[in-house]
């Protein structure tokens, strides 16, 4: 298996240099300016917003059902378990396709074409989902969520891979935080705009047809994401030409069987990922009615508090990512974020404290985990296998989300929200155990590679050069 040092074609982007001395290219005109030269740091930062907005539409539309939970159940005459299945149908294709999406990005399509293809699937899936609501056909809505899911998670894999290729060895934690931030802006806008949009439409077109029209309008955000993928793809292609990068260099052939050689630390990261996120996303998808029933909130207030996790993460993620870039110690941050999340769920389950407090804390913990967990993959996995590794993580996460989403609906219908909260807390305990094991194994086998300080990592990078 090759190591990161084998990939000279990526060095102009990920190394701490502004130019590629081994492959000098003469640029003229605008191309030679600091804004257009891919060998300059400024150029990378100009492309960063496109990377961040790549999944805006996907995140906006993913939680359309959460923003309209009570009205969707009423208009379609479905129970909570059937409603939760909309999220399960999104997850099922990604149990397999996320892994292959990463492989296809690494080996077949490349990042550029892969991002465009998966973004198009997201748009098509949202259109089918909206059509199913408009004609009141639940099977068609499920099919739309399935198609949407084919593109949604694989698009996130492409986004993560873009970040690792352009920013590895630099501000990768901050970039992951920024990506999460921009994506959650999409989720936040959805939570706070879909209900007013639905109310305005159903004033003249009530029932499921008004619901369908609202979902059709929401699909326009997916077009925006596809346009970002096209523009970003052009500039990445241009960087390949100028820097003479190859997608996969000789001797770097990717094999699916390489997955068996991934280190134990990656699989522990996967366990943390699954056990943590199943206590976040299913909770938010069912949060509207929870806040309405337990805290006697009206729908608008319930949606506002339910969106706090996304609002906080949109602001805090880049800041926390920058902080982790400067401090290192990723595993300690992961352990801390899981512990704080566990406390937040305990507040929501066992107290009647103003839910804004618990949700703000939950948003900070969620942002901290995302900014510290995902970049660890790039530390332990060779660059040419990053797409596959991220695909494995997304596949595992979606397997968990698919099963847990259905179980959550069944628990709410039969036992109520208190039992659901205890259910979430049990998964967080599992994540905490896995994080402690990750620290122990990393210290014993990897010499503490994942939990090194920023200064130690900078020294290791200098020694490697």
């Amino acid at each position: 298996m090759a190591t990161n040092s084998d990939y000279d074609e990526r060095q102009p982007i990920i190394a701490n240099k502004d130019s590629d001395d081994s492959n000098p290219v003469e640029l003229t005109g605008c191309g030679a300016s600091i804004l257009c030269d891919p060998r300059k740091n400024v150029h990378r930062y100009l492309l960063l917003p496109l990377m961040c907005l790549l999944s805006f539409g996907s995140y906006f539309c993913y939680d359309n059902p959460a923003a309209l939970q009570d009205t969707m159940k009423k208009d379609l005459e479905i129970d909570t378990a059937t409603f939760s299945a909309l999220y399960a149908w999104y997850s099922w294709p990604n149990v397999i396709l996320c892994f292959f999406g990463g492989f296809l990005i690494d080996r077949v399509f490349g990042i550029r074409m892969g991002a465009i293809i998966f973004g198009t699937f997201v748009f098509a899936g949202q259109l089918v989902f909206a059509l199913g609501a408009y004609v009141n056909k639940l099977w068609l809505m499920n099919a739309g969520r399935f198609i949407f899911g084919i593109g949604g998670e694989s698009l996130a894999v492409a986004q993560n891979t873009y970040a690792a290729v352009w920013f590895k060895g630099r501000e990768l934690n901050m970039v992951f935080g920024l990506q999460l931030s921009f994506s959650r802006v999409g989720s936040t806008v959805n939570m706070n705009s879909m209900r007013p949009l639905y109310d305005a439409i159903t004033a003249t077109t009530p029932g499921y047809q008004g619901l369908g029209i609202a979902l059709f309008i929401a699909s326009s955000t997916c077009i925006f994401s596809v346009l970002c993928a096209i523009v970003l793809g052009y500039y990445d292609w241009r960087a390949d030409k100028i820097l003479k990068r190859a997608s996969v260099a000789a001797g770097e052939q990717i094999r699916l069987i390489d997955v068996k050689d991934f280190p134990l630390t990656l699989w522990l990261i996967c366990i943390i990922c699954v056990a943590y996120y199943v206590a976040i996303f299913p909770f938010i998808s069912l949060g509207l009615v929870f806040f309405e029933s337990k805290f006697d909130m009206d729908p608008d207030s319930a949606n506002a508090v339910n969106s706090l996790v996304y609002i906080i993460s949109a602001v805090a993620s880049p800041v926390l990512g920058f902080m982790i870039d400067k401090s290192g110690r990723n595993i300690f941050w992961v352990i801390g974020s899981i512990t704080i999340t566990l406390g937040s769920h305990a507040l929501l389950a066992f107290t009647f404290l103003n839910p804004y407090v618990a949700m703000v804390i939950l948003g900070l913990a969620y942002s901290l985990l995302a900014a510290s967990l995902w970049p660890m993959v790039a530390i332990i996995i060779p660059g040419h296998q990053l797409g596959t590794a991220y695909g494995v993580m997304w596949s595992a996460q979606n397997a968990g989300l698919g099963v847990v989403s259905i179980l959550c609906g069944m628990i709410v219908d039969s036992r109520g929200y208190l039992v659901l909260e205890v259910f979430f807390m049990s998964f967080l305990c599992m994540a905490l155990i896995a994080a402690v094991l990750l620290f122990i194994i990393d210290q014993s086998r990897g010499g503490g590679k994942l939990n090194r300080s920023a200064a130690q990592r900078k020294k290791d990078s200098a020694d490697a050069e």
Side-chain angles (χ1 to χ4, degrees):
M1 181 180 297
T3 62
N4 285 336
S5 60
D6 296 328
Y7 302 103
D8 293 337
E9 77 281 359
R10 296 184 186 232
Q11 293 307 312
I13 288 178
I14 66 175
N16 293 318
K17 296 180 181 180
D18 282 339
S19 63
D20 179 10
D21 296 332
S22 62
N23 292 297
V25 176
E26 189 71 27
L27 299 177
T28 59
C30 177
S33 71
I34 191 173
L35 298 178
C36 300
D37 188 347
R39 293 169 294 194
K40 305 295 183 181
N41 291 336
V42 173
H43 182 74
R44 292 186 300 111
Y45 289 118
L46 287 176
L47 295 184
L48 181 57
L50 291 175
M51 295 182 199
C52 293
L53 291 169
L54 196 58
S55 60
F56 178 89
S58 174
Y59 277 83
F60 182 94
C61 293
Y62 171 78
D63 268 326
N64 281 172
L68 301 170
Q69 180 188 358
D70 52 351
T71 57
M72 189 171 286
K73 290 171 64 178
K74 174 175 63 71
D75 290 343
L76 301 175
E77 299 180 352
I78 57 176
D79 58 17
T80 307
T82 305
F83 170 83
S84 295
L86 293 172
Y87 284 92
W89 278 105
Y90 172 92
S91 297
W92 293 138
N94 292 297
V95 174
I96 296 177
L97 288 178
C98 253
F99 172 73
F100 283 102
F103 178 75
L104 291 173
I105 287 170
D106 281 339
R107 180 73 182 271
V108 182
F109 298 139
I111 307 176
R112 299 185 287 271
M113 186 56 66
I116 295 171
I117 290 173
F118 296 135
T120 303
F121 267 101
V122 167
F123 176 53
Q126 179 66 13
L127 289 179
V128 174
F129 178 61
L131 178 62
Y134 187 79
V135 299
N136 195 18
K137 298 295 182 184
L138 186 61
W139 68 266
L140 191 58
M141 295 181 70
N142 288 334
R145 292 292 282 185
F146 187 91
I147 297 169
F148 185 94
I150 290 175
E153 300 300 283
S154 294
L155 182 62
V157 173
Q159 184 183 42
N160 287 345
T161 307
Y162 262 131
V165 168
W166 282 80
F167 289 93
K168 183 180 178 183
R170 294 176 182 266
E171 310 86 357
L172 187 58
N173 291 292
M174 185 183 71
V175 169
F176 271 93
L178 280 169
Q179 286 185 342
L180 175 65
S181 176
F182 275 73
S183 298
R184 288 317 178 191
V185 167
S187 301
T188 302
V189 174
N190 161 69
M191 287 290 189
N192 292 281
S193 66
M194 285 303 294
R195 185 57 178 259
L197 176 63
Y198 170 86
D199 289 340
I201 293 172
T202 53
T204 56
T205 310
Y208 57 80
Q209 289 186 329
L211 173 65
I213 293 172
L215 295 174
F216 273 123
I217 294 174
S219 67
S220 61
T221 59
C222 300
I223 300 176
F224 175 72
S225 290
V226 172
L227 292 176
C228 286
I230 292 172
V231 176
L232 182 60
Y234 165 75
Y235 280 104
D236 191 67
W237 169 83
R238 180 175 175 272
D240 272 359
K241 295 298 182 182
I242 293 174
L243 303 176
K244 298 183 180 180
R245 288 187 291 157
S247 297
V248 181
E252 297 168 3
Q253 297 302 310
I254 302 164
R255 302 174 302 161
L256 292 179
I257 199 172
D258 286 346
V259 172
K260 71 178 178 59
D261 296 320
F262 283 164
L264 176 60
T265 47
L266 177 68
W267 300 113
L268 285 172
I269 291 173
C270 286
I271 292 173
I272 296 169
C273 175
V274 173
Y276 185 86
Y277 284 114
V278 297
I280 301 294
F281 298 138
F283 169 73
I284 293 174
S285 71
L286 299 175
L288 176 64
V289 174
F290 169 71
F291 292 116
E292 287 177 339
S293 59
K294 179 169 182 176
F295 298 98
D296 196 26
M297 291 181 162
D298 60 70
D300 288 338
S301 297
N303 256 333
V305 70
N306 199 31
S307 67
L308 272 176
V309 171
Y310 295 152
I311 294 173
I312 295 299
S313 69
V315 176
S317 293
V319 176
L320 294 174
F322 178 79
M323 180 180 70
I324 296 169
D325 273 323
K326 295 302 181 183
S327 66
R329 307 295 184 188
N330 287 55
I331 298 181
F332 285 165
W333 291 114
V334 168
I335 291 173
S337 64
I338 296 171
T339 304
I340 295 170
T341 303
L342 190 57
S344 299
H345 274 285
L347 287 175
L348 291 169
F350 304 121
T351 76
F352 284 88
L353 182 69
N354 189 316
Y356 280 89
V357 175
M359 292 300 283
V360 167
I361 296 173
L362 183 61
L364 290 170
Y366 166 75
S367 305
L368 185 60
L369 181 121
S372 55
L373 181 72
W374 292 92
M376 288 197 291
V377 177
I379 297 175
I380 58 177
I381 298 298
H384 71 293
Q385 292 178 331
L386 276 175
T388 303
Y390 283 124
V392 168
M393 283 188 68
W394 284 104
S395 296
Q397 179 181 324
N398 278 277
L401 287 173
V403 174
V404 169
S405 293
I406 294 176
L407 292 177
C408 286
M410 296 171 63
I411 290 172
V412 170
D413 284 335
S414 61
R415 306 300 294 272
Y417 278 98
L418 177 60
V419 175
L420 180 66
E421 280 287 9
V422 174
F423 181 68
F424 289 145
M425 292 170 68
S426 68
F427 274 101
L428 289 169
C429 290
M430 184 188 307
L432 188 58
I433 292 171
V436 172
L437 287 175
L438 177 64
F439 172 73
I440 294 172
I441 292 173
D442 180 57
Q443 289 293 322
S444 62
R445 295 186 181 180
K449 182 187 243 185
L450 293 175
N451 205 48
R452 287 176 184 164
S453 67
Q456 288 174 317
R457 287 176 183 167
K458 185 175 181 180
K459 182 178 181 298
D460 291 343
S461 177
D463 292 343
E465 292 177 1

